[in-house]
Amino acid sequence: MKVDCLITDCRLATMVPGGEPYGAIDDGAILIRDGQIVWVGPRADLPEHEAAHTDRLGGRWVTPGLIDCHTHLVFAGDRSAEYERRLTGVPYAQIAREGGGIASTVRATRAADAATLTTHALDRLKALTASGVTTVEIKSGYGLDAESELRMLRVARGLEQAGGVRVRTTFLGLHAIPPEFADRRAAYVDLMVDQVLPAAHAEGLVDAVDAYLEPIAFTGEEVSRLFDKARALGLPVKLHADQLGDGGGAALAARHHALSADHVEYVSDEGVQAMAEAGVVAVLLPGAFVMLDETQLPPVQAFRDAGVAMAVATDCNPGTSPMASLTLGMALACMKFRLTPEEALAGTTRHAARALGIADQVGTLETGKAADLAVWDINGPGELSYWLGKPLLNRRYLGGKLATRD
């Protein structure tokens, strides 16, 4: 067969479950045509082929390109000064009363034009891709008005070509109540549900819909109304759920057949079971857990026992998780949540793909999947969750084409 590229002299962590740990192939090869994997397996079993190009990787490990399935990558400003104040003992509530917190990010994001938002987002995206990311989810939610939310989503779409990644966009209009609607909560929900989401969808800017379900954010009734609108538009949903307490978020996500429930530190046993029955992925966000100095661990063993898939993401945002390395997220998930390194890698590949509804396209090294690959200077895939801050990526391929090389 004729192919565009042969990748050989490498070890593969295919992340296909059911066989060797990591789906490993010790001496592997991959054939790529038209951006897709058309064959993968042991080099000794290579079929007859004619390759336009051959990449010999010198025995390096190859994994699926990593997938960061929960980020707030597009925003303006930063909150490092607030971080310093909190470390000196100033309560967050006081900072918020003085106009800080998410309100400060909303002001900065509304004031920034698309070019400024793109420049800052590309800087953060560059750090993510340096940790092996080839697909990234990006949420809105720092504009909180029609013009700014749409601008954020347009910028996120544009990052796909500019940043050399695949982008999945998520509408997060129900993230917080903006100051101008402080006494008109119902009107704000009406605006997001009835006007902004349909407008964003009509412009082709939305791949999924998210909301923040907490006493400090939105109620189950408000979220359900948004989700009903999303499903009427043919859009999948996901949920910030049970981060600060057991608010029934996991069960609500399950009732709406959500792709994922994210954070889930306080999810109940009933919520875990509901997620399992509905196939909802648990997205673990160790960056926020560490940054907020939380002590309530997500019920990882309960997820294992129930068969709930666990993804891992950075939650990259200016307030609660200013983290721009997915391999660091994997390491923290192992150290803080006691995931195994294999679970952490599955959580940033095949389970992250499920959390975005694209498991048929990416997440494993299999025939028919996109040829999105990460090549690593490591002795084994467990090192990806071991090193803290050490550059490990050798190169990335996106759709079979070299996207990054160290």
Side-chain angles (χ1 to χ4, degrees):
M1 81 177 108
K2 290 187 177 181
V3 297
D4 300 319
C5 183
L6 163 65
I7 294 178
T8 188
D9 188 16
C10 57
R11 292 175 284 180
L12 306 178
T14 67
M15 300 313 295
V16 176
E20 294 293 318
Y22 300 97
I25 298 173
D26 187 59
D27 183 11
I30 303 172
L31 295 176
I32 299 168
R33 183 175 59 222
D34 297 330
Q36 289 190 317
I37 297 171
V38 295
W39 185 89
V40 58
R43 179 161 54 164
D45 298 338
L46 261 173
E48 289 192 14
H49 64 277
E50 180 182 334
H53 179 73
T54 298
D55 280 353
R56 295 178 174 83
L57 299 183
R60 291 181 173 88
W61 277 93
V62 180
T63 71
L66 302 190
I67 301 166
D68 197 347
C69 64
H70 182 131
T71 85
H72 304 255
L73 202 67
V74 175
F75 60 87
D78 74 71
R79 282 147 65 184
S80 58
E82 295 178 16
Y83 174 62
E84 289 191 70
R85 293 186 69 197
R86 292 204 312 270
L87 290 176
T88 65
V90 180
Y92 176 79
Q94 177 181 335
I95 294 172
R97 284 195 302 270
E98 295 171 355
I102 189 172
S104 66
T105 300
V106 171
R107 286 195 302 274
T109 301
R110 287 178 173 181
D113 60 17
T116 300
L117 290 174
T118 298
T119 297
H120 293 313
L122 278 173
D123 184 58
R124 293 183 280 270
L125 183 58
K126 183 178 179 180
L128 285 179
T129 57
S131 68
V133 170
T134 54
T135 297
V136 61
E137 184 257 20
I138 304 175
K139 303 178 191 295
S140 68
Y142 286 128
L144 307 184
D145 62 26
E147 179 184 355
S148 304
E149 287 290 297
L150 292 172
R151 182 165 63 247
M152 289 183 70
L153 290 167
R154 293 183 192 116
V155 167
R157 275 279 190 255
L159 293 175
E160 183 160 274
Q161 183 172 359
V165 293
R166 301 184 192 275
V167 170
R168 303 293 291 181
T169 55
T170 298
F171 175 77
L172 183 57
L174 296 193
H175 190 199
I177 300 289
E180 66 270 23
F181 282 92
D183 299 320
R184 298 183 296 133
R185 181 188 190 92
Y188 179 73
V189 175
D190 289 345
L191 173 67
M192 289 295 124
V193 174
D194 297 331
Q195 297 183 42
V196 184
L197 173 57
H201 173 62
E203 201 174 320
L205 297 175
V206 185
D207 296 316
V209 173
D210 195 355
Y212 188 23
L213 176 63
E214 289 287 352
I216 63 171
F218 293 91
T219 68
E221 291 77 13
E222 291 164 338
V223 170
S224 291
R225 184 179 164 204
L226 174 71
F227 283 3
D228 288 342
K229 173 65 77 171
R231 299 310 291 252
L233 294 172
L235 295 169
V237 300
K238 55 183 64 184
L239 185 65
H240 285 63
D242 302 330
Q243 178 188 9
L244 305 178
D246 178 14
L252 186 147
R255 288 197 299 274
H256 287 273
H257 304 285
L259 293 172
S260 69
D262 302 27
H263 289 290
V264 293
E265 283 92 337
Y266 284 87
V267 63
S268 65
D269 291 341
E270 293 77 14
V272 171
Q273 190 58 42
M275 290 174 65
E277 292 173 0
V280 179
V281 177
V283 177
L284 308 182
L285 303 171
F289 179 88
V290 170
M291 190 71 175
L292 294 172
D293 197 23
E294 295 284 0
T295 58
Q296 176 71 30
L297 295 167
V300 166
Q301 190 57 51
F303 288 143
R304 289 185 183 121
D305 293 342
V308 174
M310 293 179 286
V312 176
T314 64
D315 193 16
C316 180
N317 74 72
T320 61
S321 187
M323 181 168 67
S325 167
L326 190 50
T327 49
L328 177 58
M330 293 164 61
L332 291 177
C334 293
M335 288 186 284
K336 295 296 185 179
F337 300 161
R338 311 310 295 175
L339 265 62
T340 68
E342 185 174 4
E343 286 175 327
L345 186 53
T348 56
T349 54
R350 68 173 184 265
H351 295 325
R354 278 188 56 188
L356 296 181
I358 53 174
D360 60 331
Q361 303 171 43
V362 293
T364 56
L365 303 182
E366 292 184 272
T367 300
K369 297 284 185 77
D372 294 356
L373 318 173
V375 182
W376 306 95
D377 291 320
I378 55 177
N379 294 312
E383 288 189 44
L384 297 177
S385 297
Y386 169 70
W387 290 106
L388 301 179
K390 180 181 178 181
L392 301 173
L393 185 72
N394 179 270
R395 67 189 77 177
R396 294 183 311 131
Y397 293 84
L398 189 70
K401 297 181 179 179
L402 191 62
T404 303
R405 183 166 184 169
D406 181 31

